[in-house]
C-alpha cells in the first residue's frame, strides 16, 4: 500500500467502499473500517489510517479493482480466482503466479508493486518452457501477427482454431493491455464471455443466420436437420475450434453434437461455418447412387483410415516407414496404383440408379 492508495480510500469512504471483505465508510468526521475479522466504528482519521496500515493488502487490492472497467475487472478476477480465494491467500499465490487457460493461451497473473497486478501470456504448450527460450513481446498489436499463421506458415482463417503457433510470450502487461492482447488473439472472446456471465449473451441460431443470407449463400437454408448436425460435428467441436458452441439449429431444436469445453462462448455460426454450409447444401442436393467396384476387406478398411486421418488432421503425424497405417502415404499410393486409372478414378465401376 502507498500514500496515494490510502488517500484514495479516505476520499472514497464518503460514498462507502465494499471489496473482498473490506468495508469502509465515513459519516461526518467518523470512519468505519471493517475487515473479515473485525469491525471498527467511530474512528478519527488517525485511527483509520493506522488500521489501513495494518491491512495493506485489503487497501491495495481495493485500489487495484476500483479503476477497472466491468469487463476487465470480471475477467482479471476470474484469472486470479477472486471468488474462491481470500485476499491474503490470493496475494500469497500471486507471488508465484495464478494461471488460467483461455483457448490455447496460458494467462498468468502476478503481484506487482503495492498490489498492482502484472500479467504474462504464452502458448499453453509452452507452460514449462524457460522464459529466455521464448520470443519476448510487450506490444498487444504483436498478437495479430502471431495469430495470422500456424507453425507451418499457413494462414489461419479461423482465429479460434487450435492451431496457434508456439515460441513467444508477452510479459509485464497491465490489465488493460492483457485484455487487448487476448482479444487480438481471440477477437471478442472476453466481451462475449462477460456478456454470458451477466446473462446478456445474444445467441443467433443456425436457421436465423441462414435466413438472412443473400446471393450465393441463400442456398444455406436448404441444409436439413441432419445436415446441420453434421456441419456442427465437422466444424464446431473442441478439435476444430476453441469456442464453446451456444447456438443450435433453432431455439426449439437442440443439436446432439457436444458443445465443447471452451472457456468462452460461440454465439452464432461464424463465416467459415456458413461457407462450409453453402458447399454442403449444394452437395446434399445430389441424389444418392449405388456404385459397385472391387476392394479387398483390407482396402475397404484403408479407405476408412484415410478418411479418418484427413478429417482428424493427422496425416502429417504418420511416419513414412509406418506402412501398417492405412493412411500411410506409400500405402495410399499403392492402392491408387492398383485400383485407379491414370486420372485417379476407380476402375471397373458399375453405377446403379
Amino acid at each position: 500500500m502507498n500514500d496515494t492508495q490510502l488517500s484514495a480510500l479516505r476520499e472514497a469512504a464518503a460514498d462507502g467502499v465494499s471489496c473482498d471483505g473490506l468495508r469502509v465508510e465515513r459519516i461526518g468526521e467518523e470512519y468505519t473500517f471493517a475487515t473479515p475479522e473485525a469491525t471498527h466504528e467511530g474512528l478519527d482519521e488517525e485511527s483509520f489510517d493506522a488500521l489501513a496500515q495494518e491491512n495493506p493488502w485489503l487497501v491495495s487490492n481495493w485500489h487495484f479493482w476500483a479503476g477497472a472497467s466491468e469487463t476487465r475487472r470480471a475477467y482479471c478476477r476470474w484469472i486470479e480466482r477472486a471468488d474462491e480465494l481470500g485476499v491474503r491467500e490470493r496475494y500469497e499465490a500471486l507471488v508465484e503466479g495464478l494461471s488460467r487457460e483461455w483457448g490455447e493461451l496460458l494467462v498468468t497473473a502476478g503481484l506487482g508493486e503495492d498490489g498492482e497486478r502484472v500479467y504474462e501470456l504464452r502458448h499453453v504448450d509452452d507452460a514449462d518452457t524457460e522464459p529466455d527460450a521464448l520470443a519476448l513481446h510487450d506490444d498487444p498489436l504483436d498478437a495479430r501477427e502471431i495469430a495470422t499463421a500456424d507453425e507451418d506458415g499457413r494462414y489461419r482463417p479461423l482465429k479460434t482454431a487450435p492451431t496457434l503457433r508456439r515460441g513467444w510470450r508477452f510479459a509485464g502487461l497491465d490489465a488493460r493491455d492483457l485484455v487487448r492482447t487476448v482479444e487480438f488473439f481471440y477477437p471478442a472472446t472476453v466481451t462475449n464471455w462477460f456478456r454470458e456471465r451477466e446473462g446478456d449473451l445474444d445467441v443467433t441460431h443456425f436457421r436465423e443466420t441462414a435466413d438472412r443470407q443473400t446471393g450465393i449463400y441463400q442456398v444455406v437454408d436448404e441444409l436439413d436437420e441432419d445436415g446441420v448436425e453434421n456441419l456442427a460435428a465437422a466444424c464446431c467441436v473442441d478439435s476444430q475450434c476453441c469456442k464453446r458452441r451456444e447456438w443450435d439449429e433453432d431455439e426449439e431444436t437442440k443439436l446432439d453434437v457436444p458443445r465443447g469445453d471452451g472457456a468462452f462462448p460461440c454465439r452464432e455460426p461464424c463465416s467459415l461455418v456458413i461457407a462450409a454450409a453453402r458447399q454442403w447444401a449444394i452437395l446434399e442436393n445430389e441424389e444418392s447412387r449405388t456404385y459397385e467396384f472391387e476392394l479387398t476387406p483390407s482396402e475397404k478398411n484403408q479407405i476408412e483410415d484415410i478418411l479418418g486421418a484427413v478429417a482428424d488432421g493427422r496425416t502429417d503425424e504418420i511416419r513414412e516407414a509406418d506402412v501398417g497405417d492405412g493412411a500411410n502415404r506409400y500405402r495410399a499410393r499403392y492402392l491408387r496404383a492398383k485400383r485407379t486409372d491414370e486420372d485417379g478414378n476407380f476402375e471397373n465401376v458399375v453405377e446403379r440408379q
Side-chain angles (χ1 to χ4, degrees), residues 284-336:
E284 290 293 347
N285 281 328
E286 295 182 358
E287 293 291 333
S288 294
R289 300 181 183 182
T290 300
Y291 297 90
E292 293 181 4
F293 54 95
E294 290 187 355
L295 293 174
T296 67
S298 293
E299 290 168 348
K300 178 256 188 190
N301 293 338
Q302 183 183 355
I303 290 175
E304 294 169 347
D305 288 343
I306 293 170
L307 183 60
V310 172
D312 294 338
R314 62 177 188 86
T315 54
D316 290 343
E317 302 172 10
I318 301 170
R319 296 179 298 112
E320 290 185 350
D322 189 7
V323 292
D325 191 313
N328 172 271
R329 179 161 58 93
Y330 295 126
R331 182 103 174 257
R333 289 174 63 85
Y334 183 90
L335 180 64
R336 184 177 67 177

Side-chain angles (χ1 to χ4, degrees), residues 206-207 220 223-234 247-250 255 257:
F206 178 82
R207 288 300 169 201
V220 166
L223 204 62
D224 63 17
E225 183 175 342
D226 288 342
V228 178
E229 284 278 355
N230 294 334
L231 173 70
W247 55 268
D248 289 290
E249 181 172 3
D250 54 41
L255 299 178
V257 176

Side-chain angles (χ1 to χ4, degrees), residues 156-159 161 231 234-235 269-278 280:
R156 298 174 68 240
L158 179 64
K159 291 299 178 281
L231 173 70
C235 302
C270 67
S271 58
L272 187 148
V273 167
I274 293 302
R278 172 184 175 271
W280 294 329

